[in-house]
Amino acid sequence: MSSATKAKSKPTPLSDQEIQQNYIRLQNDLQALARKIGELESEADEHSLVLTTLEDALAKDPDRKCFRLIGGVLVERTVKDVTPALQTNRDGIRKVISTLAEQYKTKEKELDTFKREYSIRPVQ
């Protein structure tokens, strides 16, 4: 029986090195997701800060000009034009954060299952 036939009939157990590589990959995936969530939370906070600042200007003078950076180009707009776009962006960022948080939970469960399956315990 060839090795290809064996692989199809029964999955080969992982070697110690493969187990270690999979464990490290799962940990790195979790860290990358956490990093991206942190970056996006910071960006959403910045949007909220700008919106809070613009609220006063919107109430007093909605046609007051302000500047917005779009694709590396600073463009002149009015407060009433910029505010809805910023709110939409912030809401979109929050949705992405929510999606990434769900992915994080799923990946965390996958790592826990992998650790249980291969009896992996942290070295103390």
Side-chain angles (χ1 to χ4, degrees), residues 14 18-26 108-120:
L14 298 178
E18 290 171 327
I19 292 170
Q20 183 178 10
Q21 288 172 346
N22 285 345
Y23 180 72
I24 290 170
R25 180 186 50 80
L26 288 169
E108 198 172 40
K109 288 177 186 175
E110 184 181 339
L111 179 62
D112 288 342
T113 302
F114 186 80
K115 285 164 58 174
R116 267 194 312 277
E117 186 176 323
Y118 291 98
S119 301
I120 298 173

Side-chain angles (χ1 to χ4, degrees), residues 36-37 40-41 43-44 86-103:
K36 188 64 177 175
I37 290 169
L40 290 174
E41 284 176 343
E43 196 170 324
L86 285 174
Q87 289 170 336
T88 302
N89 286 352
R90 182 193 58 197
D91 295 344
I93 291 168
R94 287 180 176 166
K95 286 179 185 174
V96 171
I97 290 170
S98 176
T99 302
L100 288 176
E102 287 300 316
Q103 289 177 8

Side-chain angles (χ1 to χ4, degrees), residues 32-123:
L33 282 170
R35 212 174 9 259
K36 188 64 177 175
I37 290 169
E39 290 170 10
L40 290 174
E41 284 176 343
S42 176
E43 196 170 324
D45 289 345
E46 288 176 13
H47 276 70
S48 294
L49 181 63
V50 171
L51 284 166
T52 301
T53 304
L54 289 178
E55 280 178 7
D56 188 42
L58 187 60
K60 290 180 183 175
D61 183 12
D63 291 321
R64 180 178 175 178
K65 69 176 151 175
C66 64
F67 295 89
R68 181 171 180 215
L69 192 63
I70 300 176
V73 178
L74 197 59
V75 294
E76 182 179 328
R77 296 282 188 254
T78 63
V79 173
K80 69 180 177 187
D81 294 335
V82 169
T83 303
L86 285 174
Q87 289 170 336
T88 302
N89 286 352
R90 182 193 58 197
D91 295 344
I93 291 168
R94 287 180 176 166
K95 286 179 185 174
V96 171
I97 290 170
S98 176
T99 302
L100 288 176
E102 287 300 316
Q103 289 177 8
Y104 185 89
K105 289 177 188 174
T106 303
K107 189 62 77 171
E108 198 172 40
K109 288 177 186 175
E110 184 181 339
L111 179 62
D112 288 342
T113 302
F114 186 80
K115 285 164 58 174
R116 267 194 312 277
E117 186 176 323
Y118 291 98
S119 301
I120 298 173
R121 293 186 188 88
V123 178

